[in-house]
Amino acid sequence: MKPKITLKQIAKDLGLSVSTVSKALSDSHEIGDVTKNRVQEYAKLQNYKPNTMAKNLKNQRTNTIGVIIPNILNPFFAKVFSGIEKAANAKGYNVITYISNESHNKEKQAMDLLSNGTVDGFILSVAEETQAKNVSSHFKETLREGLPIVMFDRIMEDVNCDKVIVDDFESSVEAVNHLIKLGCKKIALLSCIDNLSVGKHRALGYERALQDNKMEINKRYIIKTDSQTDFDARLEKLISAKEIDGILAVDEHASTMAMKIAIQKGIQIPKELCVIGFADGVWSRRLTPSLSTISQHGPEIGEEAAKLLIEKLESKSETPTFKTTVVKTELRQRDSTRRV
Amino acid sequence: MKPKITLKQIAKDLGLSVSTVSKALSDSHEIGDVTKNRVQEYAKLQNYKPNTMAKNLKNQRTNTIGVIIPNILNPFFAKVFSGIEKAANAKGYNVITYISNESHNKEKQAMDLLSNGTVDGFILSVAEETQAKNVSSHFKETLREGLPIVMFDRIMEDVNCDKVIVDDFESSVEAVNHLIKLGCKKIALLSCIDNLSVGKHRALGYERALQDNKMEINKRYIIKTDSQTDFDARLEKLISAKEIDGILAVDEHASTMAMKIAIQKGIQIPKELCVIGFADGVWSRRLTPSLSTISQHGPEIGEEAAKLLIEKLESKSETPTFKTTVVKTELRQRDSTRRV
DNA sequence: GTGAAAGCGCTAACAT
DNA sequence: ATGTTAGCGCTTTCAC
């Protein structure tokens, strides 16, 4: 292991002062061309890399973003994350990631650990437990300490910060309208995420679309829960009854279970039953029949969130204003709604 | 935004010296109980958090691990990542993540950007392009600079570092043996990742198992490629021929496409065709029929990698030795191989 | 038991 | 055009 090469070392080797070397390397006009070249070449030769920690300490900023994600196995979050990472890197920022695993404590702990000069700001989607308990003190405390936050997808209404969301309500409306256009008369709503803000908005959109179309809202066609086992049991009954002819499933478990059970019961999709699900990632295409989805443009959400945060970090405005960006969804028609 | 509270500030407020405060907060025996308590209480009151950058600079270590992942949308990598994150956090380390997107340049750039005092070491899986070109100079350079590396899954044989791998060869052997036990006579091998080390090992295991069972290796039953479109076309023909009765698919695209096409052709799984795939994540269970898989224990791989790296970081041994850990896989039998 | 001082590696205001 | 100095926030050795 070779000893780290520092400014001091270069200065000594070249018989210069540390500050001359520093200026030469940052191409300062104060330094003569000869010395500048000499220094720059020697530095390259020695593969000199300025120590990040020293720079950060000096500058009082780290060029690092803290990202807190509820669950990286959920392809939506994975996509958003890749968008954040890409946009951040492009602007010279690193990304430190914590996975909250939907736990409030882990989320709080992450913010605590990172908010002492480790990161310049946060991008996060609120943990399920935090939303269930409806506590936002840790977010507010972090903001008070001067660290900006951008929330995406799962947000807290009462926290004053930048937000990037999907228009869940409107997406549901659109999806249900589409099912109706296909001729569905008895449309079910399936949700295992009724404890999340996004789940609730999607459910509301479903009801609204039915009302708009003067269709009855039938409670028997609605499964809203936060427990997958409870869900599975109720779903089995609902599908066995063979009453419904359309499904809006607001999460991946709901849509895939619906298709699985329907196939097992010999119900033909989409002939007898049309299914639209909220889903991201490559898997909806891989199902047989492939699943029509509302895609949320995860990467764009991530990029937008990173953009908003970095804007805030690099503007020195003392009285910041907060934006909420809505990223449009897209209805991707596949075989589960293609009526022949 | 309130001004950051520092040791200096506490010292001033309490009429003490900076060093006394520092020692009091680290519970030094040099400090009297009265002052110690006074300082600790005041610090808690002020919500004092030691500045990480200053500490890092002083200590010449960052308690941060650089993680480079080829593709976070691949559930295997997502699982490994969550294992790394969990184990690292548990030991007080942060994780900075770069996604190489299979690009050699991004991988190299990430290592370059992080190896100047930003991280203490790396955990990574080699980018496809790097494996294809077979270049490992950037890894060797980083090691020479004194930063330890742990490679997982996709490794470079010629780089001398800790490694965590799956026994891909043996897993394939087991899977094929299982298919044979189920009565399969004509077993196909499907691979879209024949450019990766893991893909090659899995293919070799397939051949070996056939030989062990005195079965003929039929080239027509083998699709090895690195292009998905090429793959899809050849697969369509292979399945249409209705000759094969068993499939070992070494990647997710291969296994799911095989099932999709078979279902479309009206071939019954598992009655006429058994399928085993290498896959992680929740989706194999969601397919109809559910897919039997070789699961790679992603989280354990991640945890083991983090453990190995942290061990190296915290041992001061000047002449390190390097371990290669093999994490066992598990054959999960689901409906795609359950013969009634 | 407490404090002064040096130093981690870098930058920048201020000499010369 | 080059160098001196102070300081970012913290730890640690050495005085008192």
Side-chain angles (χ1 to χ4, degrees), chain B residues 86-148:
Chain B
K86 190 176 153 199
N89 289 174
K91 302 225 175 186
Y93 284 75
N94 286 324
V95 168
I96 288 190
T97 316
Y98 271 69
I99 300 172
S100 69
N101 256 318
E102 308 290 7
S103 142
H104 174 64
N105 267 345
K106 178 90 191 270
E107 179 178 88
K108 213 168 122 180
Q109 187 197 327
M111 302 199 71
D112 201 52
L113 283 171
L114 297 181
S115 60
N116 22 34
T118 306
V119 303
D120 296 335
F122 289 95
I123 296 176
L124 58 89
S125 192
V126 180
E128 181 179 333
E129 200 189 343
T130 304
Q131 283 206 326
K133 292 183 177 168
N134 196 31
V135 286
S136 49
S137 46
H138 53 314
F139 301 130
K140 289 175 180 163
E141 172 62 18
T142 301
L143 288 168
R144 212 174 305 124
E145 287 173 4
L147 291 169

Side-chain angles (χ1 to χ4, degrees), chain B residues 134-189:
Chain B
N134 196 31
V135 286
S136 49
S137 46
H138 53 314
F139 301 130
K140 289 175 180 163
E141 172 62 18
T142 301
L143 288 168
R144 212 174 305 124
E145 287 173 4
L147 291 169
I149 297 178
V150 178
M151 295 186 176
F152 69 88
D153 194 52
R154 303 198 205 145
I155 62 169
M156 304 291 281
E157 296 283 357
D158 65 327
V159 176
N160 206 4
C161 66
D162 286 324
K163 289 160 192 167
V164 184
I165 53 171
V166 151
D167 193 346
D168 291 290
F169 179 84
E170 193 51 48
S171 307
S172 274
V173 171
E174 231 177 85
V176 172
N177 280 338
H178 186 72
L179 288 172
I180 293 172
K181 226 177 292 167
L182 289 172
C184 300
K185 305 286 184 210
K186 297 177 173 178
I187 301 172
L189 173 81

Side-chain angles (χ1 to χ4, degrees), chain B residues 17 19-20 23 30-32 35 58 60:
Chain B
S17 81
S19 59
T20 307
K23 286 171 190 163
E30 295 182 46
I31 306 295
T35 352
K58 182 69 196 173
Q60 298 291 66

Side-chain angles (χ1 to χ4, degrees), chain A residues 72-73, chain B residues 75-88 152 164 166 280-281 295-307 327-328 332:
Chain A
I72 195 71
L73 290 173
Chain B
F76 170 66
F77 289 124
K79 283 200 167 188
V80 176
F81 179 69
S82 69
I84 295 172
E85 196 261 357
K86 190 176 153 199
F152 69 88
V164 184
V166 151
D280 291 85
S295 159
Q296 305 178 81
H297 294 303
E300 285 85 342
I301 294 175
E303 282 167 38
E304 175 66 17
K307 215 189 87 202
V327 175
K328 282 266 161 250
R332 301 225 168 113

